[in-house]
Amino acid sequence: MATARSNRRYDDLVKLAENLQRDPQLELRIQENVCVTCFYTERGQIVMNAFHHQPCGLCLTPQIYVNSRTDVLCLKCANEHSLCKHCGADWNLDSTREFDPKEKSSGIGSEPSP
Ligand SMILES: [Zn+2]
Ligand SMILES: [Zn+2]
């Protein structure tokens, strides 16, 4: 029993690793404006259904979410800068990329953070 469960988890993780490397749902992922990591690891995550308010981490436009899966960026900013709307990472996880947000507005805004 425990072995079967462990086997299943093993298979799931191998599958997950494959998905992370191959990015088989690239088109859908880009449509949803999220990075590889968020797309494949946060599917099926348990969410709390309640309204959540959170400003966009870049333009500070207030965002309203119907559950606890809030995003750090609004769709417009995510699109404009090719960033993951959920965590703010580069779409292709290019860590060499320099990101330079327009001048920070007076203290209210903070860097995108989870
Ligand atoms: Zn924004
Ligand atoms: Zn992400």
Side-chain angles (χ1 to χ4, degrees):
M1 191 57 192
T3 307
R5 206 177 311 140
S6 180
N7 264 328
R8 199 159 47 233
R9 266 180 56 213
Y10 181 94
D11 288 345
D12 286 350
L13 286 169
V14 169
K15 186 105 202 280
L16 175 65
E18 275 176 17
N19 283 342
L20 286 169
Q21 284 187 326
R22 294 203 202 129
D23 197 6
Q25 298 190 72
L26 175 72
E27 273 177 34
L28 181 64
R29 180 170 75 73
I30 297 299
Q31 259 173 42
E32 293 190 9
N33 274 86
V34 291
C35 68
V36 176
T37 314
C38 287
F39 189 86
Y40 296 105
T41 60
E42 302 202 357
R43 304 241 113 181
Q45 194 191 54
I46 294 162
V47 293
M48 305 248 296
N49 283 315
F51 284 101
H52 283 71
H53 298 251
Q54 185 178 296
C56 167
L58 283 177
C59 70
L60 304 180
T61 306
Q63 309 288 311
I64 299 168
Y65 300 91
V66 293
N67 57 45
S68 58
R69 270 203 73 181
T70 59
D71 299 326
V72 298
L73 299 175
C74 73
L75 203 54
K76 187 172 149 283
C77 288
N79 252 318
E80 234 164 66
H81 304 286
S82 304
L83 296 172
C84 171
K85 74 179 162 84
H86 191 59
C87 74
D90 182 87
W91 273 349
N92 299 309
L93 301 183
D94 177 5
S95 55
T96 60
R97 184 181 148 180
E98 301 253 330
F99 181 63
D100 187 18
K102 295 160 214 153
E103 77 255 349
K104 287 200 177 123
S105 24
S106 55
I108 324 164
S110 53
E111 294 190 69
S113 63

PDB file of all heavy atoms in Angstrom, residues 43-75:
ATOM      1  N   ARG A  43      -0.865  23.728 -10.717  1.00  0.00           N
ATOM      2  CA  ARG A  43      -2.137  23.204 -11.189  1.00  0.00           C
ATOM      3  C   ARG A  43      -2.732  22.351 -10.079  1.00  0.00           C
ATOM      4  O   ARG A  43      -2.038  21.587  -9.432  1.00  0.00           O
ATOM      5  CB  ARG A  43      -1.928  22.315 -12.421  1.00  0.00           C
ATOM      6  CG  ARG A  43      -1.203  23.024 -13.536  1.00  0.00           C
ATOM      7  CD  ARG A  43      -2.028  23.094 -14.755  1.00  0.00           C
ATOM      8  NE  ARG A  43      -2.387  24.474 -15.019  1.00  0.00           N
ATOM      9  CZ  ARG A  43      -3.136  24.865 -16.037  1.00  0.00           C
ATOM     10  NH1 ARG A  43      -3.612  23.988 -16.862  1.00  0.00           N
ATOM     11  NH2 ARG A  43      -3.403  26.124 -16.207  1.00  0.00           N
ATOM     12  N   GLY A  44      -4.014  22.484  -9.877  1.00  0.00           N
ATOM     13  CA  GLY A  44      -4.667  21.635  -8.909  1.00  0.00           C
ATOM     14  C   GLY A  44      -4.380  21.996  -7.468  1.00  0.00           C
ATOM     15  O   GLY A  44      -4.737  21.277  -6.552  1.00  0.00           O
ATOM     16  N   GLN A  45      -3.730  23.118  -7.301  1.00  0.00           N
ATOM     17  CA  GLN A  45      -3.447  23.573  -5.945  1.00  0.00           C
ATOM     18  C   GLN A  45      -4.751  23.960  -5.244  1.00  0.00           C
ATOM     19  O   GLN A  45      -5.678  24.451  -5.874  1.00  0.00           O
ATOM     20  CB  GLN A  45      -2.561  24.806  -6.071  1.00  0.00           C
ATOM     21  CG  GLN A  45      -1.889  25.235  -4.828  1.00  0.00           C
ATOM     22  CD  GLN A  45      -1.262  26.615  -5.056  1.00  0.00           C
ATOM     23  OE1 GLN A  45      -1.924  27.557  -5.473  1.00  0.00           O
ATOM     24  NE2 GLN A  45       0.013  26.706  -4.812  1.00  0.00           N
ATOM     25  N   ILE A  46      -4.810  23.734  -3.953  1.00  0.00           N
ATOM     26  CA  ILE A  46      -6.022  24.075  -3.218  1.00  0.00           C
ATOM     27  C   ILE A  46      -6.121  25.586  -3.031  1.00  0.00           C
ATOM     28  O   ILE A  46      -5.156  26.225  -2.636  1.00  0.00           O
ATOM     29  CB  ILE A  46      -6.033  23.381  -1.846  1.00  0.00           C
ATOM     30  CG1 ILE A  46      -6.133  21.864  -2.060  1.00  0.00           C
ATOM     31  CG2 ILE A  46      -7.193  23.881  -0.983  1.00  0.00           C
ATOM     32  CD1 ILE A  46      -5.738  21.050  -0.866  1.00  0.00           C
ATOM     33  N   VAL A  47      -7.252  26.124  -3.361  1.00  0.00           N
ATOM     34  CA  VAL A  47      -7.422  27.562  -3.227  1.00  0.00           C
ATOM     35  C   VAL A  47      -8.616  27.877  -2.330  1.00  0.00           C
ATOM     36  O   VAL A  47      -9.539  27.091  -2.213  1.00  0.00           O
ATOM     37  CB  VAL A  47      -7.629  28.249  -4.590  1.00  0.00           C
ATOM     38  CG1 VAL A  47      -6.377  28.151  -5.433  1.00  0.00           C
ATOM     39  CG2 VAL A  47      -8.823  27.658  -5.328  1.00  0.00           C
ATOM     40  N   MET A  48      -8.559  29.023  -1.692  1.00  0.00           N
ATOM     41  CA  MET A  48      -9.647  29.462  -0.849  1.00  0.00           C
ATOM     42  C   MET A  48     -10.554  30.354  -1.676  1.00  0.00           C
ATOM     43  O   MET A  48     -10.088  31.337  -2.247  1.00  0.00           O
ATOM     44  CB  MET A  48      -9.114  30.290   0.313  1.00  0.00           C
ATOM     45  CG  MET A  48      -8.056  29.576   1.110  1.00  0.00           C
ATOM     46  SD  MET A  48      -8.629  29.185   2.739  1.00  0.00           S
ATOM     47  CE  MET A  48      -8.857  30.828   3.406  1.00  0.00           C
ATOM     48  N   ASN A  49     -11.810  30.001  -1.737  1.00  0.00           N
ATOM     49  CA  ASN A  49     -12.716  30.828  -2.511  1.00  0.00           C
ATOM     50  C   ASN A  49     -13.257  31.982  -1.699  1.00  0.00           C
ATOM     51  O   ASN A  49     -14.159  31.830  -0.897  1.00  0.00           O
ATOM     52  CB  ASN A  49     -13.869  29.993  -3.068  1.00  0.00           C
ATOM     53  CG  ASN A  49     -13.406  29.180  -4.265  1.00  0.00           C
ATOM     54  OD1 ASN A  49     -12.722  29.697  -5.139  1.00  0.00           O
ATOM     55  ND2 ASN A  49     -13.758  27.920  -4.285  1.00  0.00           N
ATOM     56  N   ALA A  50     -12.661  33.102  -1.900  1.00  0.00           N
ATOM     57  CA  ALA A  50     -13.094  34.331  -1.251  1.00  0.00           C
ATOM     58  C   ALA A  50     -12.470  35.447  -2.058  1.00  0.00           C
ATOM     59  O   ALA A  50     -11.456  35.237  -2.711  1.00  0.00           O
ATOM     60  CB  ALA A  50     -12.599  34.382   0.189  1.00  0.00           C
ATOM     61  N   PHE A  51     -13.058  36.592  -2.027  1.00  0.00           N
ATOM     62  CA  PHE A  51     -12.490  37.681  -2.797  1.00  0.00           C
ATOM     63  C   PHE A  51     -11.211  38.186  -2.164  1.00  0.00           C
ATOM     64  O   PHE A  51     -11.129  38.385  -0.956  1.00  0.00           O
ATOM     65  CB  PHE A  51     -13.493  38.830  -2.937  1.00  0.00           C
ATOM     66  CG  PHE A  51     -14.559  38.511  -3.936  1.00  0.00           C
ATOM     67  CD1 PHE A  51     -15.815  38.088  -3.531  1.00  0.00           C
ATOM     68  CD2 PHE A  51     -14.293  38.618  -5.299  1.00  0.00           C
ATOM     69  CE1 PHE A  51     -16.790  37.764  -4.464  1.00  0.00           C
ATOM     70  CE2 PHE A  51     -15.262  38.304  -6.233  1.00  0.00           C
ATOM     71  CZ  PHE A  51     -16.512  37.873  -5.819  1.00  0.00           C
ATOM     72  N   HIS A  52     -10.215  38.349  -2.984  1.00  0.00           N
ATOM     73  CA  HIS A  52      -8.945  38.870  -2.513  1.00  0.00           C
ATOM     74  C   HIS A  52      -8.605  40.110  -3.322  1.00  0.00           C
ATOM     75  O   HIS A  52      -8.742  40.114  -4.531  1.00  0.00           O
ATOM     76  CB  HIS A  52      -7.836  37.832  -2.683  1.00  0.00           C
ATOM     77  CG  HIS A  52      -7.870  36.768  -1.657  1.00  0.00           C
ATOM     78  ND1 HIS A  52      -8.846  35.796  -1.632  1.00  0.00           N
ATOM     79  CD2 HIS A  52      -7.056  36.522  -0.605  1.00  0.00           C
ATOM     80  CE1 HIS A  52      -8.609  35.000  -0.598  1.00  0.00           C
ATOM     81  NE2 HIS A  52      -7.537  35.414   0.035  1.00  0.00           N
ATOM     82  N   HIS A  53      -8.149  41.116  -2.639  1.00  0.00           N
ATOM     83  CA  HIS A  53      -7.751  42.342  -3.310  1.00  0.00           C
ATOM     84  C   HIS A  53      -6.250  42.472  -3.191  1.00  0.00           C
ATOM     85  O   HIS A  53      -5.697  42.276  -2.124  1.00  0.00           O
ATOM     86  CB  HIS A  53      -8.392  43.566  -2.643  1.00  0.00           C
ATOM     87  CG  HIS A  53      -9.875  43.539  -2.716  1.00  0.00           C
ATOM     88  ND1 HIS A  53     -10.598  44.392  -3.521  1.00  0.00           N
ATOM     89  CD2 HIS A  53     -10.779  42.740  -2.111  1.00  0.00           C
ATOM     90  CE1 HIS A  53     -11.885  44.125  -3.386  1.00  0.00           C
ATOM     91  NE2 HIS A  53     -12.018  43.124  -2.530  1.00  0.00           N
ATOM     92  N   GLN A  54      -5.624  42.792  -4.302  1.00  0.00           N
ATOM     93  CA  GLN A  54      -4.187  42.984  -4.265  1.00  0.00           C
ATOM     94  C   GLN A  54      -3.790  43.879  -5.428  1.00  0.00           C
ATOM     95  O   GLN A  54      -4.183  43.621  -6.550  1.00  0.00           O
ATOM     96  CB  GLN A  54      -3.502  41.628  -4.388  1.00  0.00           C
ATOM     97  CG  GLN A  54      -2.003  41.696  -4.241  1.00  0.00           C
ATOM     98  CD  GLN A  54      -1.385  40.314  -4.319  1.00  0.00           C
ATOM     99  OE1 GLN A  54      -1.624  39.469  -3.479  1.00  0.00           O
ATOM    100  NE2 GLN A  54      -0.597  40.070  -5.349  1.00  0.00           N
ATOM    101  N   PRO A  55      -3.021  44.937  -5.160  1.00  0.00           N
ATOM    102  CA  PRO A  55      -2.616  45.794  -6.268  1.00  0.00           C
ATOM    103  C   PRO A  55      -1.544  45.115  -7.118  1.00  0.00           C
ATOM    104  O   PRO A  55      -0.771  44.314  -6.602  1.00  0.00           O
ATOM    105  CB  PRO A  55      -2.052  47.042  -5.580  1.00  0.00           C
ATOM    106  CG  PRO A  55      -1.641  46.585  -4.230  1.00  0.00           C
ATOM    107  CD  PRO A  55      -2.500  45.400  -3.869  1.00  0.00           C
ATOM    108  N   CYS A  56      -1.492  45.469  -8.396  1.00  0.00           N
ATOM    109  CA  CYS A  56      -0.433  44.971  -9.270  1.00  0.00           C
ATOM    110  C   CYS A  56       0.908  45.449  -8.724  1.00  0.00           C
ATOM    111  O   CYS A  56       1.034  46.600  -8.298  1.00  0.00           O
ATOM    112  CB  CYS A  56      -0.648  45.499 -10.686  1.00  0.00           C
ATOM    113  SG  CYS A  56       0.774  45.273 -11.765  1.00  0.00           S
ATOM    114  N   GLY A  57       1.916  44.588  -8.713  1.00  0.00           N
ATOM    115  CA  GLY A  57       3.225  44.930  -8.178  1.00  0.00           C
ATOM    116  C   GLY A  57       3.975  45.980  -8.984  1.00  0.00           C
ATOM    117  O   GLY A  57       4.949  46.538  -8.506  1.00  0.00           O
ATOM    118  N   LEU A  58       3.537  46.236 -10.206  1.00  0.00           N
ATOM    119  CA  LEU A  58       4.230  47.232 -11.007  1.00  0.00           C
ATOM    120  C   LEU A  58       3.442  48.530 -11.152  1.00  0.00           C
ATOM    121  O   LEU A  58       3.940  49.602 -10.848  1.00  0.00           O
ATOM    122  CB  LEU A  58       4.540  46.673 -12.401  1.00  0.00           C
ATOM    123  CG  LEU A  58       5.714  45.707 -12.470  1.00  0.00           C
ATOM    124  CD1 LEU A  58       5.873  45.177 -13.880  1.00  0.00           C
ATOM    125  CD2 LEU A  58       6.996  46.374 -12.018  1.00  0.00           C
ATOM    126  N   CYS A  59       2.206  48.424 -11.627  1.00  0.00           N
ATOM    127  CA  CYS A  59       1.464  49.656 -11.898  1.00  0.00           C
ATOM    128  C   CYS A  59       0.512  50.017 -10.752  1.00  0.00           C
ATOM    129  O   CYS A  59      -0.118  51.064 -10.782  1.00  0.00           O
ATOM    130  CB  CYS A  59       0.694  49.534 -13.210  1.00  0.00           C
ATOM    131  SG  CYS A  59      -0.688  48.380 -13.142  1.00  0.00           S
ATOM    132  N   LEU A  60       0.423  49.140  -9.764  1.00  0.00           N
ATOM    133  CA  LEU A  60      -0.393  49.372  -8.570  1.00  0.00           C
ATOM    134  C   LEU A  60      -1.897  49.432  -8.819  1.00  0.00           C
ATOM    135  O   LEU A  60      -2.659  49.813  -7.944  1.00  0.00           O
ATOM    136  CB  LEU A  60       0.047  50.662  -7.843  1.00  0.00           C
ATOM    137  CG  LEU A  60       1.522  50.729  -7.449  1.00  0.00           C
ATOM    138  CD1 LEU A  60       1.812  52.042  -6.740  1.00  0.00           C
ATOM    139  CD2 LEU A  60       1.898  49.557  -6.565  1.00  0.00           C
ATOM    140  N   THR A  61      -2.322  49.036 -10.014  1.00  0.00           N
ATOM    141  CA  THR A  61      -3.754  48.980 -10.277  1.00  0.00           C
ATOM    142  C   THR A  61      -4.380  47.922  -9.371  1.00  0.00           C
ATOM    143  O   THR A  61      -3.888  46.798  -9.310  1.00  0.00           O
ATOM    144  CB  THR A  61      -4.013  48.586 -11.755  1.00  0.00           C
ATOM    145  OG1 THR A  61      -3.302  49.487 -12.584  1.00  0.00           O
ATOM    146  CG2 THR A  61      -5.493  48.629 -12.083  1.00  0.00           C
ATOM    147  N   PRO A  62      -5.430  48.276  -8.648  1.00  0.00           N
ATOM    148  CA  PRO A  62      -6.048  47.292  -7.760  1.00  0.00           C
ATOM    149  C   PRO A  62      -6.598  46.100  -8.552  1.00  0.00           C
ATOM    150  O   PRO A  62      -7.247  46.289  -9.577  1.00  0.00           O
ATOM    151  CB  PRO A  62      -7.197  48.065  -7.108  1.00  0.00           C
ATOM    152  CG  PRO A  62      -6.912  49.500  -7.380  1.00  0.00           C
ATOM    153  CD  PRO A  62      -6.104  49.561  -8.630  1.00  0.00           C
ATOM    154  N   GLN A  63      -6.291  44.907  -8.104  1.00  0.00           N
ATOM    155  CA  GLN A  63      -6.782  43.700  -8.759  1.00  0.00           C
ATOM    156  C   GLN A  63      -7.700  42.975  -7.794  1.00  0.00           C
ATOM    157  O   GLN A  63      -7.443  42.932  -6.604  1.00  0.00           O
ATOM    158  CB  GLN A  63      -5.626  42.757  -9.093  1.00  0.00           C
ATOM    159  CG  GLN A  63      -4.476  43.379  -9.834  1.00  0.00           C
ATOM    160  CD  GLN A  63      -4.837  43.693 -11.262  1.00  0.00           C
ATOM    161  OE1 GLN A  63      -5.373  42.853 -11.977  1.00  0.00           O
ATOM    162  NE2 GLN A  63      -4.600  44.927 -11.655  1.00  0.00           N
ATOM    163  N   ILE A  64      -8.768  42.417  -8.328  1.00  0.00           N
ATOM    164  CA  ILE A  64      -9.659  41.631  -7.482  1.00  0.00           C
ATOM    165  C   ILE A  64      -9.632  40.188  -7.963  1.00  0.00           C
ATOM    166  O   ILE A  64      -9.747  39.912  -9.149  1.00  0.00           O
ATOM    167  CB  ILE A  64     -11.102  42.176  -7.544  1.00  0.00           C
ATOM    168  CG1 ILE A  64     -11.121  43.617  -7.043  1.00  0.00           C
ATOM    169  CG2 ILE A  64     -12.032  41.299  -6.708  1.00  0.00           C
ATOM    170  CD1 ILE A  64     -12.427  44.326  -7.336  1.00  0.00           C
ATOM    171  N   TYR A  65      -9.416  39.265  -7.047  1.00  0.00           N
ATOM    172  CA  TYR A  65      -9.366  37.857  -7.394  1.00  0.00           C
ATOM    173  C   TYR A  65     -10.495  37.128  -6.681  1.00  0.00           C
ATOM    174  O   TYR A  65     -10.859  37.482  -5.569  1.00  0.00           O
ATOM    175  CB  TYR A  65      -8.027  37.251  -6.971  1.00  0.00           C
ATOM    176  CG  TYR A  65      -6.866  37.931  -7.642  1.00  0.00           C
ATOM    177  CD1 TYR A  65      -6.238  39.011  -7.036  1.00  0.00           C
ATOM    178  CD2 TYR A  65      -6.416  37.510  -8.881  1.00  0.00           C
ATOM    179  CE1 TYR A  65      -5.181  39.656  -7.663  1.00  0.00           C
ATOM    180  CE2 TYR A  65      -5.364  38.148  -9.513  1.00  0.00           C
ATOM    181  CZ  TYR A  65      -4.749  39.219  -8.895  1.00  0.00           C
ATOM    182  OH  TYR A  65      -3.715  39.853  -9.505  1.00  0.00           O
ATOM    183  N   VAL A  66     -11.029  36.116  -7.347  1.00  0.00           N
ATOM    184  CA  VAL A  66     -12.142  35.401  -6.734  1.00  0.00           C
ATOM    185  C   VAL A  66     -11.679  34.316  -5.783  1.00  0.00           C
ATOM    186  O   VAL A  66     -12.472  33.695  -5.096  1.00  0.00           O
ATOM    187  CB  VAL A  66     -13.083  34.776  -7.788  1.00  0.00           C
ATOM    188  CG1 VAL A  66     -13.794  35.866  -8.575  1.00  0.00           C
ATOM    189  CG2 VAL A  66     -12.321  33.856  -8.728  1.00  0.00           C
ATOM    190  N   ASN A  67     -10.374  34.069  -5.726  1.00  0.00           N
ATOM    191  CA  ASN A  67      -9.879  33.084  -4.768  1.00  0.00           C
ATOM    192  C   ASN A  67      -8.486  33.475  -4.309  1.00  0.00           C
ATOM    193  O   ASN A  67      -7.972  34.518  -4.690  1.00  0.00           O
ATOM    194  CB  ASN A  67      -9.917  31.676  -5.370  1.00  0.00           C
ATOM    195  CG  ASN A  67      -9.115  31.589  -6.655  1.00  0.00           C
ATOM    196  OD1 ASN A  67      -7.995  32.086  -6.732  1.00  0.00           O
ATOM    197  ND2 ASN A  67      -9.690  30.967  -7.662  1.00  0.00           N
ATOM    198  N   SER A  68      -7.879  32.623  -3.505  1.00  0.00           N
ATOM    199  CA  SER A  68      -6.605  32.985  -2.888  1.00  0.00           C
ATOM    200  C   SER A  68      -5.416  32.879  -3.839  1.00  0.00           C
ATOM    201  O   SER A  68      -4.293  33.180  -3.472  1.00  0.00           O
ATOM    202  CB  SER A  68      -6.356  32.112  -1.654  1.00  0.00           C
ATOM    203  OG  SER A  68      -6.357  30.754  -2.018  1.00  0.00           O
ATOM    204  N   ARG A  69      -5.663  32.430  -5.065  1.00  0.00           N
ATOM    205  CA  ARG A  69      -4.560  32.375  -6.035  1.00  0.00           C
ATOM    206  C   ARG A  69      -4.354  33.745  -6.663  1.00  0.00           C
ATOM    207  O   ARG A  69      -4.703  33.966  -7.807  1.00  0.00           O
ATOM    208  CB  ARG A  69      -4.867  31.357  -7.135  1.00  0.00           C
ATOM    209  CG  ARG A  69      -4.382  29.988  -6.816  1.00  0.00           C
ATOM    210  CD  ARG A  69      -4.189  29.191  -8.072  1.00  0.00           C
ATOM    211  NE  ARG A  69      -3.014  29.638  -8.807  1.00  0.00           N
ATOM    212  CZ  ARG A  69      -2.635  29.106  -9.956  1.00  0.00           C
ATOM    213  NH1 ARG A  69      -3.327  28.170 -10.525  1.00  0.00           N
ATOM    214  NH2 ARG A  69      -1.547  29.534 -10.555  1.00  0.00           N
ATOM    215  N   THR A  70      -3.808  34.637  -5.914  1.00  0.00           N
ATOM    216  CA  THR A  70      -3.613  35.976  -6.448  1.00  0.00           C
ATOM    217  C   THR A  70      -2.327  36.017  -7.274  1.00  0.00           C
ATOM    218  O   THR A  70      -1.444  35.187  -7.110  1.00  0.00           O
ATOM    219  CB  THR A  70      -3.515  37.014  -5.321  1.00  0.00           C
ATOM    220  OG1 THR A  70      -2.428  36.665  -4.472  1.00  0.00           O
ATOM    221  CG2 THR A  70      -4.793  37.050  -4.501  1.00  0.00           C
ATOM    222  N   ASP A  71      -2.253  36.990  -8.152  1.00  0.00           N
ATOM    223  CA  ASP A  71      -1.081  37.161  -8.996  1.00  0.00           C
ATOM    224  C   ASP A  71      -0.348  38.421  -8.563  1.00  0.00           C
ATOM    225  O   ASP A  71      -0.965  39.364  -8.085  1.00  0.00           O
ATOM    226  CB  ASP A  71      -1.506  37.323 -10.458  1.00  0.00           C
ATOM    227  CG  ASP A  71      -2.253  36.102 -10.960  1.00  0.00           C
ATOM    228  OD1 ASP A  71      -1.926  34.989 -10.527  1.00  0.00           O
ATOM    229  OD2 ASP A  71      -3.169  36.285 -11.780  1.00  0.00           O
ATOM    230  N   VAL A  72       0.964  38.456  -8.748  1.00  0.00           N
ATOM    231  CA  VAL A  72       1.687  39.662  -8.353  1.00  0.00           C
ATOM    232  C   VAL A  72       1.564  40.775  -9.396  1.00  0.00           C
ATOM    233  O   VAL A  72       1.776  41.934  -9.095  1.00  0.00           O
ATOM    234  CB  VAL A  72       3.184  39.406  -8.044  1.00  0.00           C
ATOM    235  CG1 VAL A  72       3.346  38.456  -6.885  1.00  0.00           C
ATOM    236  CG2 VAL A  72       3.930  38.920  -9.260  1.00  0.00           C
ATOM    237  N   LEU A  73       1.229  40.401 -10.639  1.00  0.00           N
ATOM    238  CA  LEU A  73       1.127  41.408 -11.692  1.00  0.00           C
ATOM    239  C   LEU A  73      -0.243  41.381 -12.353  1.00  0.00           C
ATOM    240  O   LEU A  73      -0.903  40.346 -12.391  1.00  0.00           O
ATOM    241  CB  LEU A  73       2.178  41.159 -12.778  1.00  0.00           C
ATOM    242  CG  LEU A  73       3.648  41.209 -12.352  1.00  0.00           C
ATOM    243  CD1 LEU A  73       4.538  40.809 -13.523  1.00  0.00           C
ATOM    244  CD2 LEU A  73       4.015  42.580 -11.823  1.00  0.00           C
ATOM    245  N   CYS A  74      -0.661  42.534 -12.899  1.00  0.00           N
ATOM    246  CA  CYS A  74      -1.877  42.540 -13.699  1.00  0.00           C
ATOM    247  C   CYS A  74      -1.517  42.003 -15.083  1.00  0.00           C
ATOM    248  O   CYS A  74      -0.340  41.943 -15.448  1.00  0.00           O
ATOM    249  CB  CYS A  74      -2.471  43.948 -13.782  1.00  0.00           C
ATOM    250  SG  CYS A  74      -1.566  45.092 -14.832  1.00  0.00           S
ATOM    251  N   LEU A  75      -2.520  41.619 -15.839  1.00  0.00           N
ATOM    252  CA  LEU A  75      -2.300  41.011 -17.139  1.00  0.00           C
ATOM    253  C   LEU A  75      -1.544  41.942 -18.078  1.00  0.00           C
ATOM    254  O   LEU A  75      -0.675  41.532 -18.831  1.00  0.00           O
ATOM    255  CB  LEU A  75      -3.653  40.644 -17.745  1.00  0.00           C
ATOM    256  CG  LEU A  75      -3.634  39.545 -18.798  1.00  0.00           C
ATOM    257  CD1 LEU A  75      -2.950  38.307 -18.252  1.00  0.00           C
ATOM    258  CD2 LEU A  75      -5.060  39.220 -19.213  1.00  0.00           C
TER     259      LEU A  75
END
